[in-house]
Amino acid sequence: MSEPKIKGPASYFPSIEKTYGRPIAEWKALIRAALPAKHMELVAMLKTEHGMGHGHANALVALTLAETDG
């Protein structure tokens, strides 16, 4: 049996770690440190300050905010 396919924002995480060279925990901490910024402000920060693509930035922000609010 193969492992279940990862869905949702977490499906981006292996690529994010490989592409940008930082573990997901560091990205989440960076996002939390920028709170209470809005979702798209956080996405823009990751894109402009860290050169992250929109999909990767959006996935990280979405999951981090969901964990923070939930």
Side-chain angles (χ1 to χ4, degrees):
M1 284 273 213
S2 64
E3 296 201 21
K5 185 169 175 84
I6 299 172
K7 296 180 181 179
S11 67
Y12 286 101
F13 291 176
S15 178
I16 291 170
E17 290 180 330
K18 181 179 179 184
T19 302
Y20 305 104
R22 294 171 114 171
I24 296 304
E26 281 188 30
W27 292 113
K28 288 180 179 182
L30 186 71
I31 292 165
R32 286 187 190 105
L35 292 175
K38 295 181 180 180
H39 181 102
M40 290 309 296
E41 292 170 339
L42 295 165
V43 170
M45 180 264 302
L46 291 174
K47 291 170 65 174
T48 58
E49 294 180 21
H50 300 282
M52 192 172 282
H54 182 83
H56 286 167
N58 191 57
L60 277 170
V61 170
L63 186 66
T64 303
L65 292 180
E67 290 175 351
T68 303
D69 292 339

